[in-house]
Each structure stands twice: as structure tokens, then as C-alpha cells.
């Protein structure tokens, strides 16, 4: 099966085939004995089964210059494949990974349903059609090339808009990384020693290395798993930068992709500033302690998806730090970097192993390719010498490995020591087991948990034998806390804090173990307990937690923002939100953009948030063939700060551990 067909999301909402069912490899589907099966043309099958959208067909007709009457050419079908690829958040269509004998990844199970149809062929291409033939064909087509709707790059086909974003991002990152900075190395070394005194228990202080990298480059990435001290590192870094430029303090901005992530960054930075006594008061006051969303920083123009700040009107900033950078899609990252002034530094902060952005691209993952836990990143010889001098007084701690072709290799910092989760932490060990697909570590976690040595994790593998009511009742008991506070007239901040202390996560939306069903079940239990009062004729009620699912630039409410419905001083029901600065904002429910109940949220929606107690439920084995993977489960686990509960069939967990996904992109290749 081609790599493209293994990419996440491609037909995931339709595919209910057994886990081990291969795609069809014959040029024609096997005819079934069932006379109710009707044979139709391939395009008719794809549209009737909602494999492709009508809008995709029209676009392919426009760009290829063909239609049904005159017959569709090869470009028509290649564009359909490109549309499908983009809908699955790939930046491009990797032509070398297409199975030209079955380019739409059709399975035998698709043709065995009662009263179904099957296509007359699996492939619209000739038997001798190859990647090389496709590229020759595309290069000669009037729709492909510079200033054309389609572009080719390294055997990858793009819509020109995404190719432009990718090229812009690559060029700006290279320019920023190569900019010479006027820094006194002796002073920097002293500052690094002040903030990172020698710790004999740690062979290499990766936090110290990260600060040295970011201080000496105009662009840098700081990545690391949960508890590796990313926020602490950045806080110390900002103190170091402000000390280096104390004569003319830097303008520093902190941003995150969502309001929830920005609020968490604000809380973390403030906590780190208060904790780090080694930062002088005059420097401490120069470190910002509040973050905002990227959209708010750029300034959304009302009723548009355009921003006030762009290439012609750059931001007034010297240092920009983006937290949870893995959540930032290609388009937004390109627009943000275009809005940076030429002298600005950019620092990306996040976990490379978490889920990629909801929209197109995987910028963080692309930039962190090749990083392996326990190994030194592929720094150049010159870079290793510089870092050894700055961080370790010339001692050879970092040694150049094989020379990397990646031009940004010297800009990447990889935090590898967890300060939150050690060998006594079940959460950290479970996250490591999932992320590395290590069955041995998983067995160790299970044993330690069963013996009571890991008090921070609960592994509930009795997925079938224990009714779902156990999970529902457990969630309801946790949510009773914030509802009781509402009844007692507690403050908005107290109510929000109580609600955020626990969160149930689900991997899917449908089914008994999906978000929709679990939300209804929990709501029913809370109503039976008298904690909420639900009127069947009214959608909203006191205590209802909601999550915004559609950006409203006028109200400044964005996808992922969480509010709780509470009566105001006059008794009117309002949806109350707390922004990243801690400000309360109340709206009439009728004014809200699209939103959903959020007793349960998807793992995707939880990214950028943390909860003291996180519970996660995975679907049964048959349903787990759809979209369950290593990155998804790892992201869910790492939302937990103190306690993590997993409700899943062990086979599903093992399935997820063995299934890693990636997105098609050419960003890395543009940087070699």
C-alpha cells in the first residue's frame, strides 16, 4: 500500500474495514455474487459514496480543461487526488507514494454492503502509468508552473497557495537563522552559568543548551516532552536576553494558537517568574507574563480572515515566542512570519510528538525531523564547539555526529530530561511507552500500577466487562464540584478553575464511547442528581459547559474557547469566558457562534490544555481502525498533570502505539 494511502484522515470517516484488510491491488474489483451490487463508472462511484466532493470535481474540470462530455484526462484525476490530500491536511500530493493501480485506496469491504455499488475500475490511469510519466505530463501542462494554479516541487504537487506558504516560510526561516547577532559570548557564558549552575546529576543540561541556541540564533526551536521544563527554560532565556540588551530592553510577545493555550502559558510564565529567585527584580519586570492568541496579536480585520499586521504593516516586536507551535498550521505560520520585522527573533516552543495542527501542514514536526530521545541532535562541528564553550567551559559534552544536510539543524534544541515525571511517575513512563512503541515499558507500567507503585495512573482495561455507566458516573462525580460552586454563588474564576481540574477525553465523536453519546449520558446523570436542570424546549441551562467550534472575529471568540453558562447579577443566563489575561467576558447564548457541550471533548480539542485529572476513553477495536494512532494517544496522556485514567481495550492501546502518522510536506526538503 502506498505511503499516501497510509496518511491520516484519508477516507477515515468512511473506512470500516478490518484492521488487517489490504487495499485491492487488482486493476478491477472482484465481482460479488450479490446481484444487488451495481457496477458504475469510477467517478460516479467516488461521488455517490462521498469520496470526492462536487466542488472538487468542478475544480478539477476547470484546471484540467476537460469535462464529462469530452472525457476526463489524467490531470483531472490527479487534481481529485490532490484535493483529497489537502482535505486530510497534507500540504501536497507526494507523487512517488501514489499507488497508480488503486490511487483512491479502495477496499474490498467497500463493495460488499447490501444494495451497494462498485466501480468499473480501480484506476483511471493506464496500466503503464508511472510516477515518472505523471511528472512529465504535469511539467508540460498549462496549469502547472510558476504563477500557475498548480506547482511541482521535488516530485510533489501543490496548489500554488500552499506552495507559496511553504516557500515563504522556508526562505524567512533561513534568513532569520543566518542573521549575524551582536552578542558578547563572555557575558552570555556568565549569564548561562548564573541561571544554570552545574548539576553533577545531569550529564548534559539541555535547558542550558537550549538557551544558548536561542540566544545566538535569530530563529530557534525548543522542543521537549511533558515536564522537560520548556516554560522554565523560556523564562530564563528571556531573562538572559533582557540582560544582554539591558541598555535597550527588548519588546517581547508571547503567543499561543488558542485562548486556552495562551491562558496556560500566562499561568506558567507567571509561576516561573515567581519561582526563579535568581532573576534580578529589574530584569524580572522586563519579562512579559501575559500571553495572547496569534489571531489577537496579528489583529483580525472584522468580517474577514485577513490580518491588520502583515508584510506591509509589520508587528512592533523584537522577540516572538510561540507556545504549542505544533498546533500552528502552515498558512497561519507563514502569515505570522511575514508580519515579523526583519530584525525580530522567532522562538518556537512545543512538543514535536503531539498531534499536528487541525488545518493543513505539520510545521513543528517537519522542523524536528530526525530527533531521537537519548541522542545528541546533528549539530555542526562549529556549533558543537560554540555550545561547549558557552555552556560547559570548553568541556567536550556535545560532539558533532554525521553532518546534517538540514540547514536549520543548529537552531533546534531538544529537551530530554523530565523534571515532572521520573521513574516513579506512571504518567511519564506511559507517555514514553506510547511514544516509542515500547511494549517492555508498557508492561513495566502495568506491573507497577497493579502493585500500587504508580499512584498517578489508572489503567482500566476491563473495557467490555464493565458497563459504560461506571465511566459516566465517575465523570459526573468530578463535574459535581463546579456545579456546586455555581449553586453557592462562587466567583467565575473559582467555577472555571473547578471545571478545568478534570476533563474526560474521547478519541472519536460517534458511538457509545464517543463525545456525543458520552456528553448526553453525563448530562442525564447530572440532571438525575439534581445538579442541573435541563428544559427539553431550551438548548441552554445554568452550569452548561460549552466549547466554541467556529471563530467569531467580531466577538473575539475562537475555536477551542471554553465558557460556562451562569446567571448574571440580574438573573440573566450568560456564557462566561475567561481570556488569557484573566478578564471575564460574558455573552448572551443567542449571540454565540457555533458551539457544543463539553463535558467530554475530543483529544484534538484538548491540545494546548492541561488538567489536574485527565481521563481518556478509546473506542472498541473495530472502531479503532479509524484515526487511532500513537500521536493521538500520546497527546491525551500528556494533558494530565497529576492523575491520568485510561479506559480502553489493551489491544486498542497496542494498535495505537504501532501506528504512527505523518503529513505530506516539502518544507524539510526546502531547507536542505
Amino acid at each position: 500500500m502506498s505511503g499516501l494511502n497510509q496518511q491520516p484522515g484519508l477516507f477515515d470517516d468512511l473506512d470500516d474495514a478490518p484492521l488487517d484488510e489490504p487495499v485491492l491491488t487488482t486493476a478491477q474489483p472482484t465481482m460479488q455474487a450479490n446481484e444487488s451490487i451495481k457496477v458504475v463508472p469510477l467517478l460516479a462511484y467516488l461521488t455517490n459514496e462521498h469520496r470526492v466532493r462536487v466542488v472538487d470535481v468542478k475544480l478539477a474540470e476547470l484546471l484540467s480543461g476537460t469535462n464529462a462530455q469530452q472525457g476526463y484526462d489524467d490531470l483531472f484525476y490527479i487534481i481529485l487526488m490532490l484535493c483529497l490530500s489537502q482535505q486530510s491536511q497534507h500540504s501536497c500530493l507526494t507523487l512517488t507514494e501514489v499507488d497508480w493501480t488503486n490511487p483512491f485506496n479502495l477496499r474490498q469491504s467497500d463493495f460488499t454492503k447490501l444494495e451497494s455499488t462498485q466501480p468499473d475500475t480501480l484506476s483511471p490511469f493506464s496500466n503503464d502509468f508511472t510516477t515518472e510519466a505523471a511528472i512529465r505530463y504535469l511539467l508540460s501542462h498549462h496549469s502547472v508552473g510558476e504563477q500557475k494554479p498548480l506547482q511541482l516541487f521535488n516530485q510533489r504537487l501543490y496548489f500554488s497557495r500552499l506552495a507559496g506558504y511553504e516557500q515563504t516560510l522556508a526562505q524567512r526561516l533561513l534568513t532569520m537563522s543566518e542573521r549575524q547577532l551582536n552578542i558578547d559570548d563572555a557575558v552570555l557564558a556568565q549569564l548561562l552559568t548564573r541561571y544554570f549552575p552545574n548539576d553533577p546529576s545531569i550529564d548534559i543540561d539541555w535547558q542550558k543548551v537550549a538557551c544558548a541556541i536561542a540566544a545566538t540564533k535569530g530563529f530557534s526551536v525548543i522542543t521537549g516532552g511533558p515536564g522537560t521544563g520548556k516554560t522554565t527554560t523560556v523564562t530564563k532565556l528571556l531573562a538572559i536576553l533582557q540582560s544582554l540588551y539591558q541598555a535597550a530592553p527588548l519588546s517581547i510577545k508571547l503567543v499561543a494558537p488558542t485562548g486556552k493555550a495562551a491562558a496556560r502559558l500566562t499561568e506558567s510564565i507567571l509561576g516561573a517568574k515567581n519561582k526563579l529567585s535568581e532573576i534580578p527584580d529589574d530584569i524580572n519586570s522586563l519579562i512579559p507574563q501575559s500571553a495572547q492568541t496569534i489571531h489577537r496579536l496579528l489583529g483580525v480585520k472584522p468580517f474577514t480572515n485577513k490580518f491588520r499586521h502583515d508584510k506591509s504593516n509589520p508587528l512592533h516586536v523584537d522577540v516572538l515566542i510561540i507556545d504549542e507551535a505544533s498546533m500552528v498550521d502552515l498558512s497561519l505560520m507563514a502569515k505570522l512570519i511575514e508580519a515579523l520585522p526583519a530584525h525580530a527573533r522567532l522562538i518556537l516552543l512545543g512538543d514535536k510528538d503531539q498531534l499536528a495542527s487541525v488545518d493543513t501542514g505539520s510545521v513543528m514536526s517537519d522542523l524536528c525531523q530526525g530527533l531521537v530521545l537519548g541522542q545528541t541532535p546533528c549539530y555542526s562541528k562549529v556549533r558543537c564547539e560554540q555550545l561547549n564553550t558557552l555552556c560547559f567551559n570548553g568541556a567536550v559534552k556535545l560532539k558533532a555526529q554525521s553532518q546534517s544536510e538540514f540547514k536549520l539543524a543548529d537552531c533546534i534544541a531538544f529537551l530530554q530530561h523530565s523534571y515532572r515525571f521520573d521513574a516513579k511517575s506512571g504518567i511519564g513512563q506511559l507517555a514514553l511507552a506510547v511514544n516509542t512503541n515500547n511494549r517492555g515499558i508498557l508492561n513495566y507500567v502495568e506491573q507497577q500500577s497493579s502493585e500500587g507503585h504508580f499512584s498517578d495512573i489508572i489503567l482500566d482495561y476491563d473495557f467490555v466487562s464493565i458497563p459504560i455507566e461506571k465511566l459516566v458516573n465517575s465523570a459526573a462525580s468530578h463535574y459535581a464540584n463546579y456545579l456546586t460552586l455555581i449553586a453557592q454563588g462562587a466567583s467565575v474564576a473559582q467555577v472555571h478553575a473547578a471545571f478545568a481540574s478534570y476533563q474526560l477525553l474521547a478519541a472519536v465523536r460517534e458511538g457509545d464511547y464517543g463525545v456525543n453519546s458520552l456528553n448526553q449520558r453525563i448530562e442525564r446523570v447530572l440532571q438525575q442528581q439534581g445538579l442541573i436542570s435541563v428544559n427539553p424546549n431550551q438548548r441552554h441551562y445554568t452550569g452548561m459547559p460549552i466549547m466554541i467550534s467556529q471563530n467569531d472575529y467580531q466577538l473575539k471568540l475562537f475555536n477551542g474557547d471554553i465558557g460556562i453558562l451562569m446567571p448574571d447579577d440580574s438573573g440573566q443566563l450568560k456564557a462566561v469566558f475567561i481570556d488569557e489575561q484573566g478578564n471575564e467576558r460574558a455573552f448572551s447564548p443567542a449571540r454565540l457562534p457555533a458551539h457544543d457541550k463539553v463535558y467530554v471533548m475530543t483529544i484534538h480539542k484538548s491540545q494546548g490544555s492541561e488538567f489536574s485529572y485527565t481521563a481518556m476513553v478509546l473506542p472498541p477495536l473495530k472502531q479503532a481502525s479509524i484515526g487511532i494512532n500513537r500521536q493521538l494517544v500520546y497527546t491525551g496522556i500528556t494533558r494530565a498533570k497529576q492523575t491520568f485514567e485510561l479506559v480502553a481495550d489493551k489491544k486498542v492501546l497496542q494498535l495505537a502505539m504501532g501506528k504512527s502518522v505523518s503529513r505530506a510536506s516539502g518544507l524539510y526538503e526546502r531547507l536542505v
Side-chain angles (χ1 to χ4, degrees):
M1 185 168 62
S2 76
L4 173 67
N5 292 335
Q6 292 177 346
Q7 299 290 358
L10 192 60
F11 305 146
D12 272 355
D13 58 332
L14 302 168
D15 186 8
D16 59 358
L19 299 179
D20 58 351
E21 183 190 353
V23 295
L24 295 171
T25 56
T26 58
Q28 203 166 359
T30 304
M31 293 294 296
Q32 303 297 313
N34 190 340
E35 295 181 356
S36 64
I37 296 179
K38 180 182 178 183
V39 179
V40 299
L42 176 60
L43 181 60
Y45 174 83
L46 294 172
T47 53
N48 292 340
E49 296 295 318
H50 305 292
R51 299 279 192 168
V52 299
R53 304 173 303 179
V54 174
V55 66
D56 299 330
V57 174
K58 296 299 183 183
L59 177 61
E61 288 180 343
L62 177 66
L63 296 182
S64 67
T66 60
N67 54 53
Q69 285 72 36
Q70 66 186 73
Y72 295 121
D73 62 5
D74 291 336
L75 181 63
F76 172 84
Y77 287 100
I78 292 174
I79 293 172
L80 287 185
M81 294 157 56
L82 178 58
C83 289
L84 288 172
S85 186
Q86 186 177 338
Q87 289 162 34
S88 299
Q89 290 75 52
H90 304 292
S91 304
C92 55
L93 175 67
T94 306
L95 298 169
T96 55
E97 296 180 349
V98 176
D99 178 2
W100 298 103
T101 64
N102 187 6
F104 295 99
N105 193 22
L106 303 180
R107 300 177 183 271
Q108 186 62 56
S109 61
D110 297 326
F111 315 133
T112 59
K113 302 171 185 176
L114 292 176
E115 299 182 0
S116 64
T117 60
Q118 71 176 21
D120 58 354
T121 182
L122 295 179
S123 176
F125 305 105
S126 61
N127 292 334
D128 60 348
F129 198 82
T130 63
T131 298
E132 290 72 22
I135 292 173
R136 287 196 302 271
Y137 175 74
L138 290 168
L139 285 172
S140 63
H141 201 280
H142 63 82
S143 292
V144 183
E146 293 294 327
Q147 309 300 317
K148 301 291 181 62
L150 303 172
Q151 291 188 23
L152 270 173
F153 171 75
N154 279 13
Q155 300 180 320
R156 301 177 185 273
L157 181 65
Y158 293 80
F159 287 119
S160 59
R161 178 176 62 88
L162 292 176
Y165 288 149
E166 207 172 83
Q167 189 173 10
T168 295
L169 185 58
Q171 289 175 343
R172 283 297 306 270
L173 292 179
L174 278 175
T175 301
M176 296 172 79
S177 69
E178 294 169 353
R179 191 172 68 248
Q180 295 296 317
L181 302 174
N182 185 22
I183 292 192
D184 189 323
D185 284 356
V187 175
L188 175 57
Q190 292 175 358
L191 289 167
L192 288 168
T193 301
R194 176 197 301 175
Y195 289 106
F196 299 95
N198 184 49
D199 185 349
S201 66
I202 303 175
D203 183 35
I204 297 177
D205 190 336
W206 289 109
Q207 291 189 358
K208 189 176 188 178
V209 172
C211 284
I213 288 172
T216 53
K217 286 288 186 180
F219 167 72
S220 56
V221 176
I222 301 176
T223 184
T228 52
K230 294 186 291 292
T231 306
T232 300
T233 302
V234 166
T235 306
K236 291 182 178 181
L237 169 63
L238 295 180
I240 291 171
L241 290 176
Q242 291 292 31
S243 299
L244 289 170
Y245 295 91
Q246 195 169 2
L250 300 169
S251 172
I252 300 171
K253 299 292 184 182
L254 307 173
V255 296
T258 67
K260 195 71 176 176
R264 188 166 71 83
L265 178 60
T266 297
E267 181 185 354
S268 300
I269 291 286
L270 183 60
K273 287 178 63 176
N274 294 333
K275 184 179 177 181
L276 297 172
S277 57
E278 61 266 38
I279 301 178
D281 291 342
D282 59 335
I283 298 297
N284 193 299
S285 63
L286 298 175
I287 301 174
Q289 60 189 40
S290 66
Q292 59 188 313
T293 63
I294 297 173
H295 287 80
R296 289 191 175 98
L297 174 72
L298 291 174
V300 178
K301 293 183 177 179
F303 309 107
T304 74
N305 60 355
K306 298 182 178 183
F307 300 109
R308 189 172 71 253
H309 290 288
D310 53 20
K311 182 166 56 177
S312 61
N313 181 31
L315 293 160
H316 302 290
V317 61
D318 300 315
V319 180
L320 179 65
I321 294 176
I322 307 176
D323 194 21
E324 298 290 349
S326 64
M327 299 172 63
V328 185
D329 61 86
L330 174 62
S331 168
L332 185 58
M333 189 71 81
K335 292 176 181 178
L336 178 59
I337 204 168
E338 275 200 313
L340 288 177
H343 73 277
R345 297 169 184 254
L346 176 63
I347 301 166
L348 303 185
L349 190 66
D351 188 342
K352 67 179 178 64
D353 296 313
Q354 287 186 21
L355 287 164
S357 60
V358 175
D359 213 331
T360 304
S362 53
V363 175
M364 190 73 169
S365 178
D366 292 339
L367 296 175
C368 295
Q369 280 191 38
L371 296 182
V372 179
L373 195 64
Q375 296 183 13
T376 300
C378 293
Y379 300 132
S380 66
K381 183 180 179 181
V382 172
R383 187 59 157 165
C384 285
E385 292 173 352
Q386 181 190 30
L387 293 174
N388 285 329
T389 301
L390 289 172
C391 299
F392 311 116
N393 199 28
V396 185
K397 296 273 189 172
L398 301 175
K399 299 178 181 178
Q401 310 297 315
S402 58
Q403 183 65 40
S404 174
E405 295 181 347
F406 186 48
K407 295 177 180 178
L408 300 182
D410 287 346
C411 303
I412 311 300
F414 186 18
L415 304 182
Q416 304 191 43
H417 178 77
S418 179
Y419 296 87
R420 184 193 307 167
F421 304 124
D422 55 20
K424 299 179 181 178
S425 161
I427 296 175
Q429 291 298 305
L430 182 61
L432 179 63
V434 169
N435 196 32
T436 57
N437 189 23
N438 192 314
R439 300 288 181 89
I441 298 178
L442 178 61
N443 293 335
Y444 168 74
V445 171
E446 292 169 348
Q447 180 183 353
Q448 294 294 102
S449 178
S450 64
E451 295 175 358
H453 300 306
F454 283 163
S455 59
D456 59 337
I457 62 168
I458 303 167
L459 298 177
D460 190 352
Y461 288 152
D462 297 321
F463 191 80
V464 179
S465 60
I466 297 181
I468 194 172
E469 279 70 25
K470 176 188 176 184
L471 174 65
V472 171
N473 289 329
S474 174
S477 67
H478 285 282
Y479 289 133
N481 297 330
Y482 89 91
L483 293 169
T484 301
L485 286 174
I486 292 176
Q488 294 173 348
S491 68
V492 171
Q494 289 174 315
V495 172
H496 269 268
F499 177 79
S501 65
Y502 172 87
Q503 185 63 58
L504 176 58
L505 308 178
V508 295
R509 298 200 69 87
E510 304 300 331
D512 287 344
Y513 292 86
V515 167
N516 296 335
S517 175
L518 288 170
N519 266 321
Q520 292 175 0
R521 290 172 181 263
I522 293 170
E523 187 178 68
R524 193 178 304 125
V525 171
L526 293 173
Q527 187 176 14
Q528 291 170 351
Q529 295 176 353
L531 293 166
I532 59 174
S533 179
V534 181
N535 188 331
N537 298 320
Q538 294 181 345
R539 180 184 178 186
H540 301 99
Y541 54 85
T542 297
M544 179 178 175
I546 60 170
M547 174 181 282
I548 301 299
S549 57
Q550 184 179 19
N551 293 338
D552 188 317
Y553 298 109
Q554 188 179 16
L555 297 181
K556 296 184 178 180
L557 289 174
F558 301 100
N559 189 4
D561 288 350
I562 292 177
I564 298 174
L565 271 70
M566 302 170 57
D568 61 13
D569 294 338
S570 62
Q572 294 294 314
L573 192 63
K574 295 292 179 66
V576 187
F577 299 80
I578 295 182
D579 65 18
E580 49 267 31
Q581 281 78 39
N583 302 314
E584 298 174 10
R585 303 170 65 223
F587 302 90
S588 169
R591 294 188 63 200
L592 294 174
H595 56 278
D596 304 297
K597 287 192 289 284
V598 73
Y599 296 111
V600 188
M601 70 172 67
T602 62
I603 299 172
H604 284 84
K605 289 287 190 181
S606 73
Q607 198 165 359
S609 301
E610 284 186 340
F611 312 96
S612 297
Y613 190 127
T614 301
M616 180 172 69
V617 58
L618 301 181
L621 188 58
K622 183 179 180 180
Q623 198 176 356
S625 63
I626 307 171
I628 306 300
N629 54 66
R630 182 186 308 168
Q631 289 86 351
L632 186 79
V633 175
Y634 173 80
T635 299
I637 296 169
T638 54
R639 301 309 90 205
K641 292 194 293 186
Q642 297 175 2
T643 305
F644 176 75
E645 178 182 0
L646 175 64
V647 179
D649 184 337
K650 184 177 178 179
K651 292 181 180 177
V652 174
L653 176 60
Q654 293 173 332
L655 167 70
M657 290 171 59
K659 185 179 180 183
S660 181
V661 295
S662 60
R663 288 181 177 173
S665 165
L667 179 60
Y668 183 88
E669 296 168 14
R670 296 179 191 272
L671 293 166
V672 298

